[in-house]
Amino acid sequence: ALSRSSVPVVAVGGSYADPANYPAGVPYVATDNFKLMELARQHLIDVGLQRFAMFSVPATGQNRWARERENAFRSLMQGDHLEAEIFRGCETSAHSWDEAVQGQIDWLRSLPKPVGIIAVTDARARQLIQACIRADIEVPEQVAIIGIDNDPLMRRLTRIPLSSVVHGAQEMGRAAAQLIEQMLHGVRPPDTPIVVPP
């Protein structure tokens, strides 16, 4: 609907491997989902880990960004000839919390240790840390967890310090503002998305 607007519009969101997933005719500023996963994985490698897994979210139409991060994780694992272990778990709510945590615990117990887990967001990382605490799984000795977002609230609510990859959110905002300013002055926006690294 906004692409037909007479005022300048710039979309801001996640990056996609398939160019067809970007909105047609709308300039786009994106966080680099592949680079987010690459930096998270590299951190786990740097601390000496050789086994990796990913904790994602259940697939919905609203979280295609999570599928992009899963695909990036798969690609990185395939590049090293390793199996991509991805667990989505279930949606969490007050009435399903115990079931969700038990599913996480069962998955955590099934993984060979030590293992580094990339959580698709800091909120998911926090959930996994809580599951580890409840299951008496040592963090980071047996399970090292890294999140994505560098969310200060999540970091404060987590009893065990959380490592996290920082989005280039401020740079994305600057790039989007520059595009709008240029468009207001009659400059044609780029046809390809501007992808901002973390």
Side-chain angles (χ1 to χ4, degrees), residues 39-98:
L39 286 176
R41 183 174 151 271
Q42 189 59 53
H43 174 74
L44 295 172
I45 290 170
D46 290 347
V47 297
L49 293 162
Q50 298 176 355
R51 292 186 192 97
F52 310 98
M54 181 179 181
F55 182 39
S56 191
V57 292
T60 69
Q62 286 72 45
N63 63 17
R64 290 186 310 157
W65 54 268
R67 301 296 78 74
E68 288 296 318
R69 292 178 188 177
E70 288 178 18
N71 291 338
F73 180 74
R74 278 189 196 91
S75 177
L76 290 164
M77 294 297 100
Q78 288 171 354
D80 288 339
H81 307 289
L82 298 171
E83 183 180 340
E85 171 70 39
I86 298 173
F87 179 69
R88 291 182 177 160
C90 61
E91 288 292 334
T92 53
S93 64
H95 70 278
S96 68
W97 185 258
D98 288 338

